């Protein structure tokens, strides 16, 4: 039975927190814990999670906000479950952050958090909704609104995240799949099909590979292919719904080809794509090689505010996908959500987000896309490019007139094909041009005209190059997002981090909650710098401040911030 946890709003008259020395109270008040409690814990909408529980009258659930807070602290500090559980039981700072002010309250068994994760995963599989993402997005939106953070300008970047799977060779992966299929068979089927499995179940897949000589690899692969082909056909009727059989069928067609004569042919390594199964423990993980570094897992796309007028910048969107997902697809998906949730008008990215897909997404959502580089081959500086021409556009963003670097004007006309254009210049004037040998225009045979032909894609790239050239290094406000990326993945090992979990859902939840903890740390730093003003903003957001939070007023020297107080206001206690 689902029940909302609001007991933390009405605490006991005397608690262990009150017994702390004054210096300890002040240290607690100036830590992240009060901010976590007031700006995150109290803002969790528990009703979002009601669908996970039965409607029948039964034992009430463990408070959802405590479970979500537990998961957030785990992700934010990079703790194991047992490390965090010990902190939950014995650490006053962690307990205070979760609204618990006594040692004897809020106890739950560690098995409870495992069941909660399973329920969240099953719900996501059934409905496609990630309740953690929904709840945290709502909290971030409230923080942005109450702190009046401007969201018109934002920046975006992505990073590779490795899943917690073994690095297996090709043969080891295939043998592991065969062994797992054997385990799901009934005893009678195991005896019936023993001739197929006999060579592969004597030892684990790793030791099987140890005994393969270098010149035996291809013959072993051929034998594995024949066994898999027979098993795929033999087991389909009875075991087609089992996960192990699905993996068997998937890897067989990923690694082998069946010719017309039913001969099994091994695919070469270059024929295997990044979407091939990397491990049966994480079927959604993919393989990608980027900047001479390989990674098995996912990519996290992170967006944050970056308006120079903001006193604090917050992460607004986190999206996790298989790491073969193109940055443009991530851009398209996230820009649509950001447009719905925020007032975004301009987005900054690196060159990886350039392309037709991103351009269309930006145009549809009426967002200006600024990049710090252009994806693709660098421009030849010894030649004049399309970006060196000045192009005039009409109200519908259709090019109408072009001016060359030597100040000669030419009208732009549409070509015969869609999205093709051409601009004509007087060939007589071009003859005396000092830039003639560098010019990309071509002279017509029958007319004294020099023509420059280009596509809408080339035009888009040229305009981006021109903007990058004009803005220079001083105009780049994207670079700081790389520090944000580092902050989010730091608890898991930093660059090319390897997560302690596997599976897209679990990794998504941990990255999202780690991002929330980054926001909490930024709010804490902002609070320590702004003292009383921040507490007033906090009161406006939450409607209440616990006694311990007032302790930080003692350290606040700037008491000039005016606020209307009444006898019901917690600030009167100061």
């Amino acid at each position: 039975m689902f029940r909302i946890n609001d007991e933390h709003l009405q605490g006991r008259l005397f608690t262990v927190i009150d017994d702390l020395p004054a210096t300890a109270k002040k240290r607690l008040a100036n830590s992240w814990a009060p901010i976590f409690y007031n700006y995150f814990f109290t803002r969790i909408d528990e009703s979002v999670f009601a669908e996970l529980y039965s409607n029948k009258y039964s034992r009430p659930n463990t408070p959802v906000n405590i479970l979500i807070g537990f998961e957030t602290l785990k992700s934010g500090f990079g703790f194991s479950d047992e490390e965090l559980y010990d902190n939950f039981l014995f650490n006053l700072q962690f307990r205070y952050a979760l609204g618990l002010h006594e040692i004897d309250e809020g106890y739950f068994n560690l098995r409870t958090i495992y069941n909660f994760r399973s329920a969240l995963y099953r719900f996501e599989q059934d409905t496609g909704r990630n309740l953690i993402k929904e709840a945290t997005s709502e909290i971030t939106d409230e923080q942005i609104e109450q702190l009046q953070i401007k969201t018109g300008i934002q920046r975006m970047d992505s990073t590779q995240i490795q899943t917690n799977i073994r690095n297996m060779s090709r043969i080891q992966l295939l043998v592991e799949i065969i062994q797992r299929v054997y385990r799901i068979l009934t005893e009678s089927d195991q005896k019936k099909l023993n001739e197929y499995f006999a060579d592969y179940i004597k030892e684990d897949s790793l030791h099987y590979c140890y005994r393969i000589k270098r010149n035996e690899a291809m013959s072993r692969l051929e034998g594995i292919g024949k066994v898999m082909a027979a098993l795929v056909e033999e087991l389909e009727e009875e075991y087609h719904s089992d996960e192990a059989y699905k993996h068997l069928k998937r890897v067989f067609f990923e690694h082998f080809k069946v010719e017309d004569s039913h001969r099994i042919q091994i695919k070469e390594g270059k024929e295997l794509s990044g979407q091939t199964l990397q491990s049966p423990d994480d079927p959604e993980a993919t393989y990608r090689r980027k900047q001479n570094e390989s990674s098995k897992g996912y990519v996290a796309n992170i967006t944050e505010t970056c308006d120079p007028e903001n006193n604090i910048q917050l992460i607004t969107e986190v999206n996790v996908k298989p790491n073969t997902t193109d940055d443009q697809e991530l851009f398209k998906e996230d820009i649509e959500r950001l447009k719905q949730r925020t007032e975004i008008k301009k987005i900054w990215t690196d060159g990886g987000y350039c392309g037709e897909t991103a351009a269309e997404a930006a145009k549809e959502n009426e967002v200006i896309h600024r990049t710090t580089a252009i994806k693709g081959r660098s421009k030849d500086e010894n030649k004049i490019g399309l970006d060196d021409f000045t192009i005039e556009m009409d109200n519908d963003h259709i090019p109408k007139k072009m001016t060359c670097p030597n100040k000669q004007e030419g009208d732009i006309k549409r070509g015969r094909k869609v999205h093709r254009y051409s601009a004509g210049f007087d060939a007589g004037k071009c003859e005396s041009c000092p830039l003639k040998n560098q010019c990309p225009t071509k002279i017509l045979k029958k007319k004294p005209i020099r023509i420059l032909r280009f596509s809408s894609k080339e035009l888009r790239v040229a305009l981006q190059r021109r903007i990058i050239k004009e803005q220079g290094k001083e105009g780049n406000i994207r670079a700081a997002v790389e520090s944000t990326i580092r902050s989010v993945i730091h608890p898991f090992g930093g660059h090319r981090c390897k997560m302690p979990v596997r599976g897209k859902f679990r990794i998504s939840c941990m990255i999202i909650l780690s991002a929330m903890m980054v926001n909490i740390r930024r709010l804490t730093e902002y609070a320590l710098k702004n003292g009383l003003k921040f507490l007033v903003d906090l009161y406006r957001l939450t409607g209440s401040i616990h006694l311990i939070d007032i302790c930080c007023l003692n350290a606040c020297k700037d008491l000039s911030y005016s606020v209307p107080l009444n006898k019901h206001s917690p600030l009167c206690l100061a």
Side-chain angles (χ1 to χ4, degrees):
M1 182 180 72
F2 176 75
R3 184 178 66 181
I4 290 178
N5 172 36
D6 55 5
E7 294 180 4
H8 59 95
L9 298 176
Q10 184 62 48
R12 301 178 186 180
L13 187 59
F14 298 103
T15 69
V16 68
I17 301 293
D18 300 308
D19 294 332
L20 291 174
T23 53
K25 287 183 181 179
K26 181 178 178 180
R27 189 172 180 84
L28 178 58
N30 290 333
S31 73
W32 55 268
I35 304 301
F36 185 96
Y37 172 75
N38 284 297
Y39 258 74
F40 180 77
F41 183 83
T42 60
R43 312 312 298 174
I44 297 173
D45 184 4
E46 295 179 89
S47 62
V48 172
F49 300 86
E51 298 180 64
L52 301 178
Y53 298 92
S54 171
N55 294 324
K56 297 180 180 179
Y57 184 78
S58 56
R59 181 181 178 180
N61 61 289
T62 300
V64 170
N65 49 11
I66 289 181
L67 297 178
I68 297 296
F70 186 97
E71 289 286 78
T72 305
L73 293 173
K74 171 183 170 64
S75 300
F77 287 92
F79 289 153
S80 67
D81 289 335
E82 289 194 354
E83 286 176 324
L84 182 57
Y85 192 61
D86 286 342
N87 278 286
F88 170 75
L89 293 178
F90 311 121
N91 189 322
L92 285 180
Q93 186 181 37
F94 278 70
R95 293 182 66 78
Y96 179 80
L98 299 176
L100 304 172
H101 306 133
E102 283 291 0
I103 296 297
D104 63 346
E105 61 179 337
Y107 174 80
F108 65 87
N109 191 284
L110 194 55
R111 172 58 57 184
T112 303
I113 199 72
Y114 300 151
N115 294 334
F116 182 63
R117 291 170 185 166
S118 297
L120 288 171
Y121 173 73
R122 290 194 301 270
F123 185 84
E124 194 264 352
Q125 292 294 302
D126 294 339
T127 65
R129 293 169 54 199
N130 187 328
L131 296 182
I132 296 290
K133 186 176 181 65
E134 291 182 15
T136 53
S137 295
E138 184 178 345
I139 292 171
T140 301
D141 292 345
E142 289 182 4
Q143 293 171 350
I144 288 172
E145 181 180 358
Q146 296 297 331
L147 293 175
Q148 298 180 347
I149 297 174
K150 296 182 179 180
T151 58
I153 308 175
Q154 300 189 43
R155 53 194 171 208
M156 177 185 293
D157 200 8
S158 63
T159 184
Q160 298 291 307
I161 297 173
Q162 297 197 83
T163 182
N164 188 21
I165 57 175
R166 289 181 293 169
N167 286 321
M168 294 188 285
S169 66
R170 187 174 184 179
I171 292 180
Q172 185 184 354
L173 173 63
L174 299 177
V175 172
E176 182 71 25
I177 294 295
I178 291 175
Q179 290 180 350
R180 295 195 181 198
V181 169
Y182 181 78
R183 294 177 201 147
I184 68 168
L185 302 182
T186 62
E187 188 174 346
S188 59
D189 284 339
Q190 287 178 350
K191 292 180 180 179
K192 176 184 175 182
L193 302 172
N194 184 63
E195 61 176 308
Y196 295 121
F197 294 99
D199 293 336
Y200 306 105
I201 60 175
K202 297 176 182 178
E203 53 193 347
D204 62 53
S205 58
L206 183 60
H207 285 86
Y208 176 89
C209 294
Y210 282 163
R211 308 189 192 287
I212 299 176
K213 296 179 182 179
R214 183 177 298 180
N215 59 355
E216 294 179 344
M218 292 305 295
S219 61
R220 293 292 184 100
L221 273 175
E222 289 177 3
I224 291 172
K226 292 177 182 178
V227 168
M228 283 190 159
L231 292 175
V232 166
E233 184 176 349
E234 188 77 27
L235 302 177
E236 182 167 14
E237 183 176 351
E238 188 172 351
Y239 295 94
H240 65 275
S241 60
D242 283 274
E243 195 72 18
Y245 175 80
K246 292 178 181 178
H247 292 162
L248 171 71
K249 190 172 183 178
R250 173 180 171 180
V251 297
F252 173 71
F253 288 106
E254 285 177 344
H255 290 264
F256 302 94
K257 293 184 287 188
V258 181
E259 297 182 343
D260 295 336
S261 59
H262 298 287
R263 179 174 174 270
I264 307 300
Q265 185 177 350
I266 304 169
K267 289 185 179 180
E268 296 182 17
K270 61 183 180 181
E271 296 182 80
L272 304 181
S273 71
Q275 283 84 16
T276 57
L277 184 73
Q278 303 300 309
S279 168
D281 296 317
D282 193 349
E284 296 173 286
T286 52
Y287 174 85
R288 184 175 182 179
R289 188 167 183 82
K290 184 178 181 181
Q291 296 178 350
N292 297 322
E293 294 181 342
S294 60
S295 177
K296 293 181 179 180
Y298 302 87
V299 58
N301 199 54
I302 296 175
T303 311
E304 67 174 351
T305 61
C306 62
D307 194 305
E309 296 184 12
N310 289 337
N311 293 319
I312 179 175
Q313 310 293 357
L314 295 182
I315 297 172
T316 54
E317 181 67 27
V318 179
N319 191 10
V320 175
K321 293 288 185 182
N323 64 13
T324 53
T325 307
D326 188 82
D327 283 347
Q328 291 189 73
E329 294 297 329
L330 295 169
F331 180 93
K332 178 181 179 181
E333 190 171 320
D334 287 358
I335 206 71
E336 291 174 355
R337 281 200 291 262
L338 288 167
K339 189 66 176 180
Q340 295 172 359
R341 292 176 45 220
T342 68
E343 298 177 351
I344 185 169
K345 295 180 177 63
K346 183 183 292 187
I347 184 79
W348 281 82
T349 70
D350 60 22
Y353 294 84
C354 294
E356 289 293 332
T357 302
E360 286 297 322
K363 183 178 180 180
E364 290 176 5
N365 291 280
E366 298 179 342
V367 173
I368 299 172
H369 184 194
R370 290 285 180 264
T371 64
T372 56
I374 300 295
K375 184 165 62 175
R377 186 178 300 174
S378 300
K379 175 190 170 184
D380 187 348
E381 296 299 331
N382 296 320
K383 294 183 178 181
I384 296 173
L386 187 59
D387 55 301
D388 294 309
F389 290 77
T390 302
I391 302 171
E392 296 181 20
M393 315 281 279
D394 63 14
N395 295 331
D396 297 323
H397 299 284
I398 303 297
K400 289 298 181 185
K401 188 173 291 187
M402 176 180 287
T403 303
C404 77
N406 198 36
K407 307 303 180 184
Q408 184 183 171
E409 292 186 353
D411 293 329
I412 298 177
K413 298 180 180 179
R414 284 184 177 274
R416 294 180 180 178
K417 295 182 179 180
V418 181
H419 304 306
R420 297 290 302 181
Y421 302 93
S422 64
F425 299 90
D426 188 339
K429 295 180 180 179
C430 291
E431 285 299 321
S432 59
C433 178
L435 303 174
K436 177 182 175 182
N437 295 330
Q438 299 172 268
C439 187
T441 59
K442 304 291 183 181
I443 189 167
L444 295 181
K445 293 181 179 180
K446 298 182 179 180
K447 294 182 181 179
I449 297 175
R450 295 189 72 92
I451 289 290
L452 177 62
R453 295 186 174 89
F454 56 93
S455 64
S456 57
K457 178 181 177 180
E458 292 169 330
L459 174 62
R460 174 180 55 78
V461 172
L463 293 175
Q464 287 179 326
R465 288 190 190 278
R466 194 174 187 88
I467 291 171
I468 292 172
K469 188 186 301 182
E470 291 173 352
Q471 72 193 16
K473 293 184 178 180
E474 295 181 358
N476 177 16
I477 60 174
R478 186 210 68 87
V481 75
E482 294 181 4
S483 175
T484 299
I485 293 283
R486 181 72 173 86
S487 299
V488 173
I489 64 176
H490 175 73
F492 315 115
H495 176 62
R496 296 183 70 244
C497 64
K498 189 165 187 176
M499 302 292 290
V501 296
R502 62 179 70 101
K504 178 174 173 290
F505 176 77
R506 283 290 291 129
I507 289 177
S508 294
C509 291
M510 293 197 74
I511 293 296
I512 289 169
L513 294 176
S514 179
M516 292 301 297
M517 200 65 199
V518 170
N519 283 351
I520 294 298
R521 293 188 177 105
R522 291 179 178 181
L523 288 166
T524 302
E525 183 181 0
Y526 177 69
L528 294 177
K529 289 181 179 178
N530 290 271
L532 179 60
K533 178 181 183 301
F534 180 79
L535 279 180
V536 174
D537 292 336
L538 181 65
Y539 176 65
R540 287 172 177 164
L541 172 63
T542 64
S544 65
I545 303 177
H546 195 266
L547 289 174
I548 191 67
D549 301 323
I550 306 303
C551 293
C552 69
L553 288 176
N554 297 328
C556 179
K557 297 180 181 179
D558 180 15
L559 299 178
S560 61
Y561 188 88
S562 60
V563 54
L565 301 178
N566 57 60
K567 63 180 181 179
H568 301 295
S569 172
L571 290 177
C572 286
L573 298 174

